[in-house]
Every structure is written in structure tokens, then in C-alpha cells.
Amino acid sequence: MSRFLLNPYSMLAALLLCLSLQSTARSTEGSTSQFYIASDGRGGVHLLWWIPPERWSEGGFRLEDDQGNLLVEQTGPGANREAMQQLTQELRNDIQRLANPDNPIRTSAGNAISLGIQTLGNWEFAKALGLGVELSGLTPQPTGFAVLGLGKNGKPDGKYLKTEPFNLSQSTPLQSAPVKLRGITAANGVQLYWQGPDQHLLPILAYRVERESEGERSLLTPQPLIRGSDWPADTVAFTDATPPLESEVRYLVSAIDVLGRPSQAAILDLFVPDLSALDPPGKITTDTTKEAIEISWQANPSPHTSGYIVERSPLPAGPYEILTPTGLPGNQTQYRDTPPARATNLFYRVRAIDPHGNVGEPGNAALARRSAEAPAAPGGLKIAAGHTRVRLAWDPVPGAFGYQVERRVPGGAWQALGNLLTQEPRLDDHLGPMNGRRLEYRVSAVAWGDVAGPASKPVAVDLPDTLPPEAPSIVSAESVNGSALLRFHPAAPENQTAQLLVLRGGPDDPGLVIGDPLPGSAREWRDAWVLPGETYWYRLVALDASGNRSDPGEAVSLGIAAVIPVAPPQPVAHYEAKPFARVVIDVTLAPPDHTLVLETRSEDDTRWRHVTGASTGNTVVDTHPRQGKTDYRVRWRTQQGLLGPPSPAISVEIH
């Protein structure tokens, strides 16, 4: 019997427990017998019945309607020759064995299940087995059907399967199309995935797959593809092993119900690339010469391989570098490489390119070996030091594939600059900020196979001091008598800081330098040019003896508090008439950053007025006194113009 990819026991058990939506059947042989009907609404009908083979009558079956009219006189395994011709030889052999009632296959439960799946999934097989018929010319009216078993003599033996009346005037709808159809191009062809229709009017086990290409349609499943209606959408349902490559293809998948009627087709349009175009070329060989390495390979047999990429590595496992970034044409099977001299052994591999620019996996790597004579020592080494780099140049050496540059401090060990050779007879050694030390350089030429020649004579260079000092730190900031007092400390080592600059700005803006540069020994600084109630941001910058400037240090913010002056002590005053009339007032000296204000008031005045008098030290003279009794008092005023409370007044009698 035929083999199936699905679980036949679970599938048939599920089918035989469900009756058709079109008709139910009564059977004297148990509940496993079923009857399926579909009408075209014009008197045409498809009929299929399932009776387990162990219950078949020796003479086959007879079909009648519910009025006793004979529809099919006798049918059985092999009776329908036209249907037999539609089957494979294997299936025809199965039916011929089933025609023998003594064949043990008819009493095997496992074979019965396999047979049931083939019957319900392949309409031509069901007809050839004598379990399905197509009729036409019936009266379009409700009609019941009966299947009778026939004995060896061709007469009914009393076994039968009967249906309820079925309305032949109504057309039985076809199934809807399969869903979730998709395709993936793989190495073995185009893999198709789908699920059965969302609604099953009749059981569905089989599918038909067709392909359209360049206007021609071909059937890919000459025999129905039995997959079942519950086939999972994430499992391959069918593989087209020979699709037309590098072309647009349309696939049409139809569900076939148990009566052989195809559903509407699910359609998938797909471009099928030639994946073999990306297969790696075979038989890569290398030929080493004094000047270069010749790499050869066999062309990819695919006609759609559009080019190749050649890769090289000093190690068989890579990493590999691409030698042909723009690719080689598809008809080229050789490449000439002039490699650098670092590696004694080099490995080469080749990748294929398809018409869409995709790059395939590489093939096996081929090894190339080569040796060379040691080159001469480079001459004419010249060195020039810049602000952040040292530039070297030397005379080229014939036969050199690259150069190794070494550096050291005088008396120290030589150190190579980088792991890769420089290809040109020049190099910039980017040192960044430099601290004025001396360095020595030398150069060696390297030939193929990592054969290094002698080093050149060392050349020394004195580097400028371009290394800035570290930024200083503000230790504290406080508001003192209406000014800002900063205390700070330079970064270690302190002797590298020659000067300090104070910057005043904002939280995100360093601002500008205020005041003159401070000596490196300074530890505090006062900013008197501030206003009470304002907030200021300060940063410090260090300068070394070479003028290199550090980055600004961390910003510190400070709010300036207002200075509230106090009342001065009571002044002492007396009148002097000679040599001219005047009042001399002795006062206490004002505090730093304060000025003295003298006020006077006569007997007939109600308000105090300011007096501008001559002042020497702690003495103020009122040169325009008024007659009579006059009061005097003093006040202190801050640098910001804030006037303090007055002192106690003193009275003077003026004549």
C-alpha cells in the first residue's frame, strides 16, 4: 500500500467521526460507514461512500435511488477502467490486490486506515476502487441514495448504506481557497507553505499545485497531494524541485474535497533566484612568483554567476580582507595579488556573486608561500617635529614591500610603531601634546615573507613642550564685605603652574579672564567688581612656563551678599573764627571700601543736608557754617552706594 507523510490513524479517525454537511447515512454495518454527496444543481452528482474493506461484499456494490431505480448496476475494485488509467502503477497494483476478497490486506486495520486516507484524498482512486461515482441526468429534486452489497452471484446480500433525501436542485458550493500561502527559495527548490480553507463544507485531505511561467501552466501534482486540512502553516507542504530560475513564477494551490472538486486557487507570485549561482567556485590554486601571487579557480557551473570576490588572510580561519571590492567579471577565473610582506603564509579564497549583487559563502582556502632576500637599510632619514606629531621621511628601498618604523627614548629599548607596515617611505607619528623630551627614530625595510633588512642609522629629535598643566581647583568661595573671595590650589606638581587666570562667566560658559594674571604661588584672590544679590561663576586656568594653557577647572558659583554698614561713633566738633570762620569736625576713620558722609542741620531746619567739606585723615572742615546753633553727624557709605545709619549728633554754637 502507499505510504503517507501524515499520521493516518488520527486523520481517518477524525474524518470517519464526522458526517458530511450535505447528507447523513444509515448503515447496518456500524458508524464507520459514511456517504458524501455534491450536486451541480442540474441533475449532476458526485457520490462517495466509505465502507471498511473487511465489510465489502464479494460481488462489489450496487447504487440505487430511494425509489428503487437502478443507478449503477455493479461496481468494485478495478471496475472503472478510465479511473484506473489516471492512477500510478503502484496505486493500480494496490487496487488489483484489493479485488481479491481473500487478500489479507482487506482485514488489516492499518491497511484499512491507509486505504481510507487514499480514498478520501484521491477522487480517481475512489472511483477506481468502486467507492465513488459521477452521475448526470438525474431529476433535480430531493433524492435519497442507497448502496447495496452484492454477493458472489451478483445479487444483493442484504448489506446496504442509505442516505436521507438530498436536494439535487441546489448546487453544492465549492470550498474556499487555502490560506497563508507563502514560498521560500531553498537549495532544493521552492518550498511552499499553506493551511487548509478556513471553512470545510466537505472533508479536505488533498491539494493540487500548479505553476505558471512565461505564459505556460503545468501541473506539479499529477496525483493529489494528500496533506490534510489541518496541515500546519509553518511546515513545508510541497517543494517544487525544478522551478525556472531567475524568473517570475506564479503558484496556484487548490484544495480538493473528498469528491474530487477543486476549490478556488490561492495564488502566490514569486521571483525564483538561482541559489546555485552563489555556490563557491571549486579547485582554487595559487602560483607564487618573485613579484606576485597568481590565484586561479574553476568557474561556477551556474550560468547566472555574474562575478567573483577574492579574499586574503594570514590565517586559514581569518579574518579575511577583500582584495576585489568592486568584484571580478563572471568569466574571469584568475587574479594577480601583490601582497604586503608581513606574513610568511597567505591564504586565499573566492566567493561567487549572483545577478542581484548577493555574495555567496567562500570555498576552501588555498595556501601560498614565498621567500625573498633581505632588503638594504633605508637612507636619508629626515625628521621634523610639529605641535602634536613627528613627521619622518626616507629614501625608498628597491624590493621592499613595506617599512617598519621604531622609536625610543635615548638609552631605552626600541619599540615598533604599530603592527602593520607602512607602504610609503614616509610616516607621521601622532604623539599628541608633548613634554619637551628627546626621541630617536630608525627605519627598516621589509620584503615578502616578513624578511626584514638592517635598520637605518638612528636620528634624534627634540620635541617642543606642548603638554599643558592640569587644571587648578577652587577650594572655597565666599562673600566678604560685598566682594567675592576665592581660595584655590594648583594641580600637582605645583611647580608646573607658572601663572593662574581667573575666568568669570555662566554655568555653561567659561566667560572671560578678569584681572591680571596671578603668580603660580597665589592661593587667594578678591573680586571687588560685584553687585549684591547677583550670582557669579568662577573658573581657574593654569599656565606653565612655556605658555601652555590648561583646560578651565571645575566651575564654582557664588552669590554676593549685601554689606550693611554700622553707625559711626559720635564726632567731635568746635568752631574757629580765625583766620576764617569754620567748624572743624574730628571723626573716626571709615572702614575699607567705605566713604564718609557729613550731614548738618541748623536750628530752623527740619531736614539734614549733606556737607562737602575739606577732609584730611580723620578731620572734616565745614567752611560755610551758618550763624547760630548747628548740629553735625556722620554716616558711612559702602562702595556699592548703600548708606548706613547716622552717628549721634553734636551741636556747635557759631557766632
Side-chain angles (χ1 to χ4, degrees):
M1 295 299 294
S2 302
R3 302 291 188 265
F4 302 100
L5 299 178
L6 62 168
N7 185 332
Y9 296 93
S10 60
M11 177 175 292
L12 187 63
L15 286 172
L16 297 183
L17 288 176
C18 300
L19 296 177
S20 164
L21 296 178
Q22 280 68 43
S23 177
T24 60
R26 296 193 304 273
S27 171
T28 61
E29 300 299 328
S31 63
T32 57
S33 299
Q34 299 298 324
F35 207 109
Y36 299 96
I37 307 174
S39 169
D40 64 4
R42 301 185 301 275
V45 65
H46 285 203
L47 304 168
L48 184 146
W49 55 91
W50 168 254
I51 299 174
E54 69 270 15
R55 297 176 181 171
W56 292 356
S57 298
E58 293 187 37
F61 307 98
R62 175 176 296 173
L63 180 65
E64 298 177 352
D65 63 15
D66 54 3
Q67 302 300 317
N69 297 316
L70 180 64
L71 300 178
V72 177
E73 181 176 1
Q74 185 176 16
T75 185
N80 190 331
R81 296 185 178 278
E82 182 179 353
M84 287 284 286
Q85 294 302 315
Q86 302 300 318
L87 303 178
T88 64
Q89 185 60 51
E90 181 183 6
L91 292 178
R92 290 199 294 268
N93 293 340
D94 289 342
I95 291 176
Q96 290 171 359
R97 287 194 295 269
L98 286 167
N100 182 5
D102 297 328
N103 195 318
I105 195 173
R106 291 178 58 162
T107 60
S108 168
N111 287 327
I113 292 176
S114 179
L115 178 65
I117 293 175
Q118 191 66 256
T119 301
L120 298 178
N122 189 335
W123 175 239
E124 296 298 329
F125 183 83
K127 291 192 296 181
L129 199 58
L131 300 179
V133 296
E134 297 180 23
L135 302 176
S136 61
L138 301 182
T139 302
Q141 64 183 12
T143 303
F145 299 91
V147 177
L148 287 71
L150 300 180
K152 186 181 299 184
N153 57 6
K155 295 181 179 181
D157 59 6
K159 299 179 181 180
Y160 64 92
L161 182 68
K162 182 181 293 185
T163 74
E164 299 293 336
F166 186 84
N167 191 353
L168 301 184
S169 66
Q170 294 183 355
S171 175
T172 304
L174 295 174
Q175 307 290 341
S176 58
V179 297
K180 299 183 180 179
L181 175 61
R182 63 186 179 94
I184 297 177
T185 302
N188 62 340
V190 176
Q191 298 175 345
L192 298 179
Y193 301 74
W194 68 76
Q195 277 186 343
D198 292 332
Q199 296 181 352
H200 304 155
L201 302 177
L202 285 168
I204 293 175
L205 274 72
Y207 297 87
R208 180 174 66 195
V209 181
E210 298 174 284
R211 182 184 67 209
E212 283 186 1
S213 177
E214 296 182 353
E216 295 186 1
R217 179 179 295 192
S218 56
L219 179 64
L220 302 182
T221 53
Q223 296 295 318
L225 180 67
I226 299 178
R227 286 292 181 265
S229 58
D230 294 329
W231 187 262
D234 58 351
T235 303
V236 178
F238 178 78
T239 299
D240 181 7
T242 58
L245 301 177
E246 295 297 326
S247 62
E248 294 286 344
V249 176
R250 168 169 289 186
Y251 289 97
L252 303 94
V253 179
S254 304
I256 310 297
D257 65 21
V258 294
L259 298 173
R261 304 182 312 151
S263 71
Q264 299 176 359
I267 297 177
L268 172 66
D269 291 320
L270 185 69
F271 180 82
V272 182
D274 181 5
L275 298 184
S276 67
L278 295 176
D279 290 344
K283 199 177 180 180
I284 302 176
T285 59
T286 60
D287 184 18
T288 303
T289 66
K290 184 177 180 180
E291 295 80 14
I293 296 176
E294 298 284 348
I295 303 98
S296 302
W297 60 90
Q298 285 184 341
N300 194 320
S302 170
H304 300 117
T305 297
S306 61
Y308 300 98
I309 289 177
V310 182
E311 298 176 322
R312 180 186 67 202
S313 173
L315 299 173
Y320 281 82
E321 62 175 317
I322 297 177
L323 302 179
T324 56
T326 59
L328 301 175
N331 59 357
Q332 182 171 338
T333 57
Q334 285 186 328
Y335 177 74
R336 180 182 177 89
D337 182 32
T338 54
R342 292 300 297 178
T344 304
N345 300 330
L346 287 174
F347 295 86
Y348 293 87
R349 65 187 191 184
V350 183
R351 297 173 183 260
I353 307 173
D354 70 7
H356 314 288
N358 300 310
V359 179
E361 293 297 321
N364 295 328
L367 172 63
R369 300 177 182 270
R370 188 182 174 194
S371 60
E373 297 179 356
L381 178 59
K382 300 179 179 61
I383 302 178
H387 188 70
T388 60
R389 59 104 182 103
V390 174
R391 174 161 291 178
L392 299 89
W394 57 90
D395 298 333
V397 177
F401 278 88
Y403 302 91
Q404 179 67 70
V405 180
E406 297 175 292
R407 178 186 65 204
R408 73 173 182 180
V409 296
W414 289 102
Q415 294 181 337
L417 299 185
N419 296 323
L420 299 177
L421 298 179
T422 178
Q423 303 298 309
E424 301 294 332
R426 64 187 67 88
L427 176 71
D428 282 347
D429 185 12
H430 294 277
L431 298 171
M434 298 177 283
N435 59 358
R437 61 181 175 174
R438 169 171 285 198
L439 293 177
E440 292 180 341
Y441 291 87
R442 70 180 186 182
V443 183
S444 301
V446 182
W448 166 255
D450 209 14
V451 179
S456 66
K457 292 182 179 180
V459 176
V461 60
D462 292 321
L463 306 179
D465 182 7
T466 61
L467 188 66
E470 295 294 328
S473 301
I474 298 177
V475 178
S476 65
E478 57 181 319
S479 175
V480 178
N481 294 328
S483 62
L485 178 62
L486 305 180
R487 293 184 175 88
F488 42 83
H489 202 284
E494 296 182 11
N495 58 5
Q496 288 190 356
T497 299
Q499 289 182 314
L500 293 165
L501 303 178
V502 181
L503 279 67
R504 192 173 73 185
D508 300 318
D509 178 17
L512 302 175
V513 176
I514 59 173
D516 295 328
L518 304 176
S521 59
R523 296 296 181 268
E524 67 176 33
W525 179 78
R526 183 187 297 270
D527 183 9
W529 297 95
V530 292
L531 296 175
E534 297 291 333
T535 298
Y536 298 89
W537 294 79
Y538 296 94
R539 296 171 176 84
L540 294 182
V541 172
L543 300 176
D544 63 12
S546 299
N548 297 311
R549 179 170 174 167
S550 75
D551 292 330
E554 187 175 353
V556 173
S557 62
L558 176 64
I560 304 300
V563 177
I564 302 176
V566 298
Q570 184 181 37
V572 177
H574 63 276
Y575 173 72
E576 294 182 3
K578 294 181 180 179
F580 59 88
R582 64 191 184 280
V583 175
V584 180
I585 305 101
D586 295 325
V587 299
T588 302
L589 288 175
D593 301 327
H594 288 62
T595 56
L596 182 74
V597 175
L598 177 65
E599 296 180 331
T600 182
R601 183 179 64 183
S602 59
E603 286 183 314
D604 54 352
D605 286 337
T606 59
R607 294 185 303 172
W608 292 88
R609 61 184 178 86
H610 288 187
V611 175
T612 302
S615 174
T616 58
N618 59 348
T619 300
V620 181
V621 178
D622 180 9
T623 57
H624 299 86
R626 295 186 181 186
Q627 293 290 328
K629 182 180 179 181
T630 302
D631 295 332
Y632 290 91
R633 69 182 186 185
V634 292
R635 289 184 175 189
W636 288 338
R637 181 162 50 196
T638 66
Q639 191 174 15
Q640 291 78 26
L642 183 63
L643 193 63
S647 67
I650 185 171
S651 299
V652 178
E653 192 72 33
I654 299 172
H655 305 288

